[in-house]
Each structure stands twice: as C-alpha cells, then as structure tokens.
Amino acid sequence: MRFSTNFKPYVLLLVVGIFLLLGYVSHFDFYQAGPLFCFSRRTDVVTVTPWLASIIWEGTFDPVLVDNIYKPMNLTIATTVFAVGKYVSFLRDFLETAEMHFMVGFNVRYYVFTDRPQDVPSVNLTQGRHLSVIQVPGSNRWQEISARRMEIIQTTIESQIRREADYIFCLDVDSKFHARWGAESLGRLVAVIHPGYYDQTRANFPYERRPASMAYIPMDEGDYYYGGAMIGGFVEDVYTLTTVCRNRFAVDAGNSIEAAWQEESHLNRYLLYNKPSKVLSPEYLWQDFKAKTKEVKVIRFSGVIKNYAEVRPNV
C-alpha cells in the first residue's frame, strides 16, 4: 500500500505519537479505579521496575491531575496501625500528622489495634474520617507482636474492613507524616522500598537465607528490599497477601523457625513472586536518623527516633 504525498505528514505524526506513548506506558498504572498518569521528569533515579510498575518519586506525578482523577470517585482508604504496649505513645503524632498530610480530601478510616484502649488519644478528625479502636492482647516479645500483625489484619479485613473501604494501607505507628501522601500511591498491590537498601544490590539485602524457612529467598533472586512498615493496595489484594504470609508464619512456627525479620521477611518473599503493581520510593518510608539524600527531594513519611529499650518489652 502506498500513501499519497498529502498523507505522509499525518503518518509521521501518528508514528511519533505511538513512540511517545510507548515511552510513557511504563508510567501508567492501569487498575479498576482508572489510569494514573505518572510522567517521569526524573533521570537521577529509576522510575520503573523491570515488570513495568511505576516507582513513585517526587517529580514523577502531577498531584493536581491525580487528585482530579480520584477525588470524584468517593473512595475510602483504610489505615491500620498497631499501638501495642508503650507504642501507644506514638499514636497522637501519627494521627495528627496524618490528618495534615495523608490522603487529604479522601474518606479515611483509621483502625487502631491496641492493648491499651484507654490510652488512645482524642484527635480532631476532619469530615469523612473516622477512627475505630480494636483491642488486641499485649505480649512480652515485640517479635510476637510483629508476627501476629498479618493474622490480625487478615481477620479484621474479613470481619469489617472489606465492607468499609476500597483500599488499605497498613502502617507503623512510630512514624510521622511530613508531606503529601496522596492518591499517587494507590494501586492493586503497593510496596515501599526500604530506605536502608534503595541504593544497594540484592547481595546486601537482609532476606531470609535459610532454605528451611517459608520466607527463604535464594542469593540469586530478588528485585528490591521492601519495608515491612507499609503494606498497601486493594483491600482484597492485601487480604490475600496477609492470608498467605500468616499461613507461612504458621508453618515456620511449627518447625521452630522465626524468619530473620519476622513479617518483613515473609512480605519480601511474597512480593518476589507476586509483583507489586506500584512501588513507592523511600520518600514514603524514611527514617528520622538518616539525613535526606540528594535523591530524596521530599520526606513524606518517616520513622521517628526512639530508644528501643524504653518502648519494646524485650530488645
């Protein structure tokens, strides 16, 4: 087939348009809620995974566009935190800073799991945001608290959350929000790159390396080292994750094995073979004792400095 001379400019424009679209396709996150347009303007960091999921950094999304897409959808975001033992002392700062920066303009339901419901602070919540306090048992070992987290989230999704929310983020309470955490973070299954290992190779990742453990990852496998302080995504996708991890915990426990980093080890194993549809940069899980690096333009959420001997029942 031959094109006339008059058609050639239009064919050229079409070809250029296709190549431009292909250049951006790795920054589209297609899922039920619609496309997220993440146009990367960063060349100093990796902004897409090998399986073409977006890695969200400052400068890779337009917050106005994102809000215009998602706010009319009337979504509800569930947010779970465990404030067990002395960790309840971090809850006020977590909630107050979340009200300033986390999913502003969206319906948010906080689920606070605690053994000290009487110590849950009263915090003024904006319209469309609610807090539920769910009592859980305490423990003399922080490792046990960590191990039970998957089970408790799973059972609460079954009994309550799946009827009340569209998305869920499971976060650590000993943290604060410092800047926007918005709809750019939504996806079917969302993970965050651990701030201690975002610039490391997998040979340095602290995966569980014992083949006897259900969290085992061989030395020649692994994509990123994901932080256990954030699990997110569609409620049903997170339900599946927590169910699988809970069952693997049980198998390990039956064999008297505790994975190197408890739930974080099992989370990394799960995400290796069930790739996240979106990956958040360390902006969404920084650590207060770390200086901001040149790659991290904005710290959005960060673990606070603390004396573990004071807040953990065992160290």
Side-chain angles (χ1 to χ4, degrees):
M1 179 177 179
R2 296 177 63 87
F3 292 102
S4 71
T5 303
N6 290 337
F7 262 105
K8 287 182 179 178
Y10 298 102
V11 173
L12 180 60
L13 285 172
L14 177 61
V15 171
V16 171
I18 290 172
F19 275 101
L20 287 173
L21 178 61
L22 289 174
Y24 283 124
V25 72
S26 64
H27 299 288
F28 282 64
D29 187 17
F30 290 98
Y31 47 97
Q32 290 180 5
L36 171 62
F37 297 84
C38 289
F39 299 109
S40 175
R41 299 188 296 274
R42 297 286 295 271
T43 59
D44 59 325
V45 291
V46 177
T47 59
V48 62
T49 70
W51 59 94
L52 302 184
S54 298
I55 304 177
I56 307 301
W57 294 86
E58 175 70 8
T60 63
F61 64 93
D62 182 337
V64 175
L65 177 60
V66 170
D67 285 348
N68 287 340
I69 292 172
Y70 290 104
K71 284 189 176 178
M73 295 180 184
N74 196 34
L75 300 171
T76 297
I77 317 299
T79 309
T80 68
V81 288
F82 283 74
V84 178
K86 294 180 180 180
Y87 275 76
V88 73
S89 63
F90 299 107
L91 188 56
R92 179 179 295 278
D93 281 347
F94 176 92
L95 292 171
E96 289 182 348
T97 57
E99 285 298 288
M100 292 187 287
H101 302 295
F102 180 73
M103 291 295 175
V104 174
F106 289 87
N107 302 313
V108 172
R109 288 187 171 272
Y110 301 105
Y111 299 85
V112 176
F113 301 102
T114 183
D115 58 337
R116 301 182 181 185
Q118 71 279 4
D119 293 332
V120 173
S122 177
V123 174
N124 291 326
L125 304 179
T126 55
Q127 185 176 358
R129 299 164 82 97
H130 306 274
L131 187 148
S132 298
V133 177
I134 300 171
Q135 188 160 359
V136 296
S139 176
N140 291 325
R141 296 183 70 244
W142 68 266
Q143 294 92 339
E144 182 181 339
I145 297 168
S146 174
R148 285 206 314 263
R149 185 182 178 208
M150 293 288 189
E151 175 185 352
I152 292 171
I153 292 171
Q154 178 208 5
T155 56
T156 308
I157 289 175
E158 286 179 351
S159 64
Q160 187 173 355
I161 295 175
R162 63 169 31 141
R163 299 192 308 271
E164 299 177 343
D166 304 292
Y167 292 88
I168 183 171
F169 286 97
C170 310
L171 305 175
D172 274 6
V173 72
D174 52 336
S175 310
K176 290 183 183 181
F177 295 87
H178 301 278
R180 172 195 168 98
W181 180 321
E184 72 280 354
S185 63
L186 297 178
R188 290 200 63 90
L189 184 61
V190 184
V192 63
I193 298 174
H194 194 291
Y197 300 97
Y198 74 96
D199 57 353
Q200 300 289 313
T201 63
R202 66 185 175 197
N204 296 318
F205 295 165
Y207 291 146
E208 172 55 67
R209 300 298 191 184
R210 293 171 295 174
S213 172
M214 294 295 290
Y216 168 64
I217 295 178
M219 289 296 297
D220 60 347
E221 295 187 38
D223 304 310
Y224 304 96
Y225 188 75
Y226 302 108
M230 200 294 298
I231 306 167
F234 276 153
V235 169
E236 291 305 319
D237 287 74
V238 174
Y239 175 76
T240 301
L241 181 156
T242 54
T243 301
V244 171
C245 289
R246 173 191 179 181
N247 291 338
R248 289 175 176 168
F249 261 116
V251 173
D252 271 6
N255 293 322
S256 300
I257 297 173
E258 185 173 85
W261 290 101
Q262 295 81 41
E263 64 169 17
E264 189 170 82
S265 297
H266 287 277
L267 173 68
N268 273 274
R269 164 79 185 199
Y270 182 88
L271 293 173
L272 174 60
Y273 300 109
N274 301 270
K275 306 295 189 190
S277 63
K278 181 169 291 177
V279 176
L280 304 182
S281 72
E283 296 170 359
Y284 295 81
L285 185 60
W286 201 244
Q287 296 164 318
D288 280 356
F289 63 81
K290 291 173 65 72
K292 187 166 66 172
T293 67
K294 57 182 175 57
E295 297 90 0
V296 178
K297 310 295 184 185
V298 176
I299 296 174
R300 305 179 188 278
F301 185 63
S302 184
V304 302
I305 298 171
K306 52 195 163 293
N307 183 343
Y308 286 108
E310 292 182 355
V311 296
R312 284 182 173 176
N314 64 301
V315 180

